[in-house]
Amino acid sequence: MLIEGPLKIGVLDQPDQPGRELHLDFVDEFQALDLQAQGRKFHQYLQALQQDINRLPEGDPNRAGMLIVQQIAEQLYPHIQNGELELNETIIVELGRDYSSDSLMSLLNA
């Protein structure tokens, strides 16, 4: 499933390492918006993400991956609203190796 929005999401998977790295970059179009528009756009993204998650059945492997994206995006939201992030820098999130990170890998590689 494709998650469209203000973020480009990539995963660095090194099998010899204990975890994975999730790399988040803001798309150029989002970076070009003023602060208020960024807040609105990101809020709309969170709402759309929630709707997409609600449409998936509990056992769908994409659901677990989308929930990770949602959780991270919710944590970023207040910082975006307040202009506290350098949107041109990559945000790196370290993940463990478990079912949910496997689901995220499947989701992003679909």
Side-chain angles (χ1 to χ4, degrees):
M1 172 174 276
L2 178 63
I3 302 175
E4 293 187 19
L7 295 171
K8 290 185 285 188
I9 304 169
V11 177
L12 178 60
D13 185 27
Q14 298 176 337
D16 57 329
Q17 298 295 319
R20 296 179 167 125
E21 288 183 355
L22 186 64
H23 291 217
L24 306 170
D25 291 291
F26 291 93
V27 298
D28 293 337
E29 296 81 13
F30 183 77
Q31 291 182 42
L33 299 172
D34 65 47
L35 183 61
Q36 195 172 32
Q38 287 173 348
R40 277 194 311 271
K41 185 80 168 176
F42 208 79
H43 185 259
Q44 291 167 353
Y45 171 67
L46 286 170
Q47 289 177 321
L49 192 55
Q50 183 63 56
Q51 290 171 355
D52 289 345
I53 290 168
N54 289 341
R55 287 188 197 109
L56 296 174
E58 281 293 323
D60 190 308
N62 285 331
R63 185 180 175 95
M66 290 176 74
L67 287 168
I68 291 173
V69 172
Q70 179 188 38
Q71 182 179 13
I72 293 167
E74 286 174 345
Q75 296 296 312
L76 292 175
Y77 180 54
H79 301 286
I80 290 168
Q81 282 183 304
N82 295 323
E84 299 170 349
L85 294 176
E86 292 293 331
L87 300 181
N88 60 343
E89 294 184 10
T90 300
I91 297 171
I92 299 173
V93 179
E94 293 185 17
L95 301 174
R97 287 190 185 274
D98 59 13
Y99 170 74
S100 58
S101 71
D102 289 343
S103 296
L104 183 60
M105 289 288 293
S106 297
L107 175 69
L108 296 174
N109 291 322

